[in-house]
Amino acid sequence: MVSAPAAGFTSEIVRYLRQIEEADESGAVDLVFGMLDEGVSAQDVLLRVIGPAQRRVGRLWALNRWSVAQEHAASAVSERVVAAVARRVSPPPTRGRVVVACVEREYHALPTRLLAEVLRLHGWRADFLGASVPAPHLVEWIGQAGPELVALGCTLPVWLPRAHRAVGACRAAGVPVLVGGAAFGADDRIARLLGADAWAPAADVAADLLETGQLPLGGENGAELPADGEYACLARRRGELLPRALELLVASYPPMRDYGPWQMEQMTEDLGYVADFLGAALYLGDVSVFTDFVTWTCMVLAARGVPSEAVVLGLAVLRGELTDCPRTRAFLAEGMRAAGAAHGAPDHPEPEETSP
């Protein structure tokens, strides 16, 4: 639930990216205000400039061209620029009330904030609750506000089980739910699995859906989700599994024996992500959630000089420890194949958008 295509705004994206690369909040605000003064709509500024630029920021970090500090600084500037646009263009509400929030533990709040601002531009009163809103607190707000709809954003698939709980809680409270964000993929399949009433691939599409009043999915309560217990088993064993896997990986991959404390901390964190994405794939019954993550991880690590061989070994170690989980082992085998296929891929694929 991020942005419409950026066709026709390439130069504006490049100019904006230069401002946020330097953490120049004033320059970025001046740039977008100038666009507004020239007749560019606030929705286009949000969805065809700021949104695509932020995707580019993430890509530059993944390719190791920007540091974490640069990525954080640029994102912080964009958050303040969105707030400035919202203050500059603030039509009075003429429609009903909607609640917009990120699911619990989802801290990539900007895409969902863009949705809230687009809905406001379309006349809705949008209560934006921000990042990581636990389901009980969301339901409490719903009880106080009485919205017509809840819109939930999720960027990382690892939080989809929590999205499922939030969808169920909202629908139990009698409020329909629209979902979106990168975690839900390119179609409505996952939204259907989780019982949502509607899915939108972008904020402007979501606004159109609300305008028509037709929520196409109708909520299916996640009836097709697998229920064999392996997701719960992995979650239960995660705490003891990861240290053991790290120990075995160090023994199997000699370069790791020279790693310092910071590098070992990063490896522990990476193994945690592997376990969490594996868990999300098991929860949804969709191995592509895991293999897509493995492919992306291989690209990110290759940009930092870590070969995909290390990923294959890490997955093999986990697979060797989970002998009583056949579906989990099958997913890990698919991940190993994805990592092996990534071995011959370019280490630094070109970003999707024009370089600044």
Side-chain angles (χ1 to χ4, degrees), residues 93-98 119 122-127 146-149 210:
T94 56
R95 301 180 185 273
R97 188 172 187 174
V98 297
L119 294 182
H122 284 254
W124 294 90
R125 175 176 173 180
D127 301 341
E148 296 181 27
L149 177 124
L210 268 64

Side-chain angles (χ1 to χ4, degrees), residues 41-216:
S41 71
Q43 179 168 302
D44 279 343
V45 168
L46 295 172
L47 300 188
R48 298 179 184 271
V49 178
I50 297 174
Q54 281 302 124
R55 291 200 301 274
R56 168 74 176 193
V57 167
R59 185 74 170 167
L60 288 166
W61 169 83
L63 295 175
N64 204 27
R65 298 181 187 177
W66 279 22
S67 68
V68 170
Q70 283 180 296
E71 184 269 332
H72 284 186
S75 299
V77 169
S78 284
E79 288 171 0
R80 294 192 290 272
V81 172
V82 170
V85 172
R87 289 193 298 272
R88 175 75 178 270
V89 184
S90 54
T94 56
R95 301 180 185 273
R97 188 172 187 174
V98 297
V99 171
V100 184
C102 297
V103 302
E104 186 177 7
R105 298 198 182 179
E106 179 57 78
Y107 289 96
H108 295 83
L110 186 60
T112 309
R113 172 70 185 276
L114 291 175
L115 170 67
E117 298 307 334
V118 168
L119 294 182
R120 287 174 184 152
L121 292 173
H122 284 254
W124 294 90
R125 175 176 173 180
D127 301 341
F128 178 58
L129 306 188
S132 186
V133 181
H137 299 288
L138 180 59
V139 170
E140 181 181 4
W141 186 278
I142 289 170
Q144 297 170 354
E148 296 181 27
L149 177 124
V150 172
L152 292 174
C154 188
T155 298
L156 296 180
V158 292
W159 310 131
L160 286 173
R162 294 177 184 272
H164 190 197
R165 290 197 284 274
V167 168
C170 292
R171 296 189 73 241
V175 183
V177 182
L178 178 145
V179 297
F184 287 94
D187 57 36
D188 65 10
R189 190 188 63 80
I190 292 176
R192 288 181 181 275
L193 282 175
L194 302 190
D197 295 275
W199 164 82
D204 49 356
V205 177
D208 291 343
L209 280 174
L210 268 64
E211 189 165 344
T212 64
Q214 297 179 350
L215 302 182

